[in-house]
Each structure stands twice: as structure tokens, then as C-alpha cells.
Amino acid sequence: QQSNNSNYNNNNNNRGKSGPDMYAVTSVAIWETQGQVKIFTGSKDGFWRLWNFAGNAFVKEFEHNMGGAVECLVVASNFLFCGFESISPALPEITVGMVHAWNLANPTEPPLEFHMQPNLIPYAHATAVTKLLVVDGQKIVSGSRDGSVKLWTFDAAAHHGKGGFMLAQSLHGHAREVTGLAVVDTMLWSSSTDGSIRIWDMAKNGECQHSITMASGPAGTPPLAAGSPGAPPPAPGQGHTNAVTGLVPFTSAAGSFILSCSLDGTVKAWNAATGQCVASESHGQDGVVSMSMIGDQNGKPCLLIGLESGNMWIRNLEPTPKINQAFAPVVLLSNHFSVGHVGAVYSLAKGPSGTFYTAGDDGKVLVFQITGDLGL
């Protein structure tokens, strides 16, 4: 059983309008502080906002204008990281991709800014920063609409001893927007709207070890074999046939896996060690826009999936005594039957105590709580 607690309309500048006048909410990030749960939201209207969710209602505590669409938010190591696109003083006639980071222990201090080269290139990417990943609290990976992936490390001596994130490496290979980032051991996985998933070996200076596409090699082919000298032409692969929209790592007793989702309507599971596709599940013609790990009331992992239609599915991840199939549908959340979004579901976030948060193209954030047995 699941219950919808509340929702808010991202409608501050529209005076009660709805429908096409709403600004899409692109990102939701959860901040647990001093026994409270607070929610950061980012929107196409150029603002990130901080909300306190108490008494089944959203109360806005603060908002900040980034000067351009906010594409992604991440809360980690007591920092708020924001990826967006705005105008840089160094290039006042065009927009560029930027990352700012606020220390939530001292939120009134100016944010740390990510610069490719201090003073000369005071921005992070050429176009919007669409994805951020925090690794071990000290390393940041950013992906951009221009297809580039950049690695940043914290340097306490930077900026005259104030500290900051410095560019460590740039990875090039994707031809379109970066939509997903995940790390397993030393391997960085990235996905893109170009339909590919790339695997980079961070122990080998970020060398691209494999590219998974609809033209990738046959199942069972080791990642490095495809395209090697003397290899036969690749057979049709098991990669996605449309834009890949996200990546989620998953570890179980069976090993480590990467889950990928796509506008082709499928979710696929890949062996993180070999790059082989081990499972695939389809939503038909309804493209998958987002996904996130959540848990039932007993802590068993589930996969929450957001679709282009606004529908959302909760699916199991592993066979259980009650459900002998992975990716089996468990709960459908839809505005046709209960509560859901109208239009694409852009962001999903797991909260405490069986809660999860969803944000969409309709400008709404919905809060759900799993209150009963999902039958897993």
C-alpha cells in the first residue's frame, strides 16, 4: 500500500496558472539535517528552492536565482551541488555550463564555483551541466549537454587557501547530452542521449574501455574484444535503440550491476564487471525518463521508474519467494487511477521511512510513502 502525502506546484511566477505555463521541475535532492527532512528542488525557471516538509505540506524556506535553467541538484557531504546553464561574465553574450557548490554548514558563504581554468575559463562546460555525481565525498563527476564528462577533485590550497574543486580530467566520446553517471570500483559508467553507454577505466587515466550501443557486439563478448584487430564485424548488440536517460548501480549477492533506462521503453541490467547485458524489461511505447532505488517497509530494494506519460512503476529487482521474476511490476502510480504526473517524470529521490519524492514536466513535486507490504 502507498499513500500520497502532498504536492507543490512550481508556480511562483504564474499566479495560479497551470498546464503549459508551469515550469518543469528537473531535480529533487533530499537533505536530512538535525532530525528534519528538507527538500531541494531545481527548475527550468532558473531557481533552486529549499522546502521544509512538515505537517503534510511544503513550506518554502529559501530560493536562489541561478540566472538560467537548473538541470541537476545533488546533496552530498553536507554540500549542495547545482548544475545549470547561465551567462558567465567572461562570455556575456552566450550561456555556458556551470557548477556551484554551497557548504550547507555555512550556507551564507558564497558558493564554490567550478572553473575549467581559473580566470581564463571561469565555467565548467561549454553548455548546460546536466548530470552530477559525488564520489567518496572528494571527487565530483559532471556531464554536459555537449557530451563531455569532467572529473574534479577538491584542493584545499586552491583559491588562495579557501579551497575549491579543480579540473582533473576531461573525457570525450559522447556525441550528445550526458544523462547518467555511475561508479563501480575504478570503472566510471556514463550514458547519453546519443543512445550509448560508455565505460571508462579511472585506473588507466580515464581510458574508454567499452561503448555499449545498439550496434555493440553479441551477448557474451568481452568488452575489449569488440573492435579489436582481426575481430569480425559486430553483430547487432543488446544496447538501447533510443536515448539512454539514466544509470543506477545495484549490488546484490549475485554481484555488482548497472541498470540503464531509455526512451526506447526498456530498463536493462548490465554486469558491472563484464559489461554484458543480463536482463531487459520493456514498458512498451512509453519511454523511461528516470529511475531510482527505493525500499519497501522491510528494506527490500525496489526500482522506481518514471515514464514519459507521467506514470510511475515500482518493480522488484530480484526474484523472491513470492515473485520469481526480476523486474516484475509491483505497483503502478498513475493520475488515471490514483496520483501521478502529467507529462514526463524527470526526477525521483528516495527519502527516509519509506518515502520517495517525484518531480515532473507538470511543475509538481509529489511525496509518497510505502505504508504496507508490497508483496515481495
Side-chain angles (χ1 to χ4, degrees), residues 6-9 12 36-41 49-63 357 365 367:
S6 188
N7 70 79
Y8 92 87
N9 289 338
N12 287 10
Q36 292 184 302
V37 178
K38 298 188 178 184
I39 303 100
F40 287 99
T41 60
R49 296 179 172 91
L50 174 63
W51 306 84
N52 189 344
F53 184 69
N56 292 340
F58 284 97
V59 178
K60 185 173 68 176
E61 293 190 354
F62 188 77
E63 67 180 17
Y357 299 75
V365 172
V367 188

Side-chain angles (χ1 to χ4, degrees), residues 5-352:
N5 284 339
S6 188
N7 70 79
Y8 92 87
N9 289 338
N10 184 52
N11 201 26
N12 287 10
N13 300 320
N14 288 309
R15 297 186 179 181
K17 294 180 182 178
S18 60
D21 295 312
M22 301 287 284
Y23 288 103
V25 181
T26 57
S27 188
V28 177
I30 309 304
W31 180 32
E32 296 184 56
T33 175
Q34 298 178 345
Q36 292 184 302
V37 178
K38 298 188 178 184
I39 303 100
F40 287 99
T41 60
S43 171
K44 290 290 187 181
D45 67 1
F47 286 82
W48 63 253
R49 296 179 172 91
L50 174 63
W51 306 84
N52 189 344
F53 184 69
N56 292 340
F58 284 97
V59 178
K60 185 173 68 176
E61 293 190 354
F62 188 77
E63 67 180 17
H64 187 77
N65 188 353
M66 302 305 299
V70 175
E71 301 290 345
C72 54
L73 296 173
V74 174
V75 173
S77 301
N78 214 32
F79 271 80
L80 170 68
F81 298 89
C82 177
F84 61 107
E85 186 173 51
S86 190
I87 294 174
S88 167
L91 295 171
E93 295 186 1
I94 64 169
T95 57
V96 293
M98 308 180 85
V99 180
H100 287 183
W102 284 263
N103 184 346
L104 295 177
N106 297 290
T108 58
E109 292 183 356
L112 301 178
E113 299 185 13
F114 289 49
H115 294 167
M116 279 193 275
Q117 185 175 337
N119 300 321
L120 294 178
I121 315 177
Y123 46 89
H125 288 263
T127 60
V129 175
T130 52
K131 204 68 182 178
L132 291 169
L133 175 69
V134 180
V135 183
D136 299 329
Q138 293 289 316
K139 299 178 181 178
I140 311 298
V141 186
S142 60
S144 171
R145 191 161 288 147
D146 64 14
S148 66
V149 175
K150 297 185 186 295
L151 282 65
W152 309 81
T153 56
F154 186 79
D155 183 354
H159 304 301
H160 307 289
K162 296 181 179 179
F165 290 91
M166 307 301 291
L167 180 62
Q169 198 167 13
S170 296
L171 308 177
H172 299 279
H174 287 299
R176 295 293 184 272
E177 176 179 331
V178 176
T179 57
L181 297 166
V183 168
V184 178
D185 297 325
T186 64
M187 308 303 288
L188 170 65
W189 292 59
S190 61
S191 63
S192 170
T193 57
D194 65 10
S196 73
I197 299 170
R198 290 187 176 270
I199 307 173
W200 316 81
D201 191 346
M202 307 319 300
K204 295 184 178 179
N205 202 33
E207 178 181 321
C208 185
Q209 295 290 300
H210 190 44
S211 176
I212 300 172
T213 70
M214 62 181 294
S216 295
T221 301
L224 297 181
S228 60
Q238 292 184 308
H240 291 286
T241 59
N242 204 330
V244 186
T245 51
L247 299 173
V248 170
F250 171 59
T251 300
S252 72
S256 295
F257 304 90
I258 295 289
L259 308 179
S260 63
C261 58
S262 169
L263 294 185
D264 66 9
T266 64
V267 173
K268 295 179 181 287
W270 308 88
N271 186 310
T274 66
Q276 297 172 352
C277 184
V278 296
S280 182
E281 169 271 327
S282 176
H283 289 86
Q285 299 299 313
D286 205 350
V288 184
V289 181
S290 56
M291 61 180 177
S292 177
M293 298 283 291
I294 60 172
D296 70 1
Q297 64 175 4
N298 299 315
K300 291 183 180 179
C302 312
L303 185 65
L304 177 63
I305 296 167
L307 304 176
E308 282 187 296
S309 64
N311 291 343
M312 294 172 285
W313 276 101
I314 299 176
R315 292 181 177 265
N316 76 316
L317 279 166
E318 296 181 292
T320 69
K322 296 180 180 179
I323 303 175
N324 60 6
Q325 176 185 347
F327 288 147
V330 178
V331 175
L332 171 63
L333 301 171
S334 170
N335 65 349
H336 296 294
F337 308 112
S338 54
V339 150
H341 289 280
V342 178
V345 182
Y346 287 137
S347 184
L348 305 166
K350 177 184 177 181

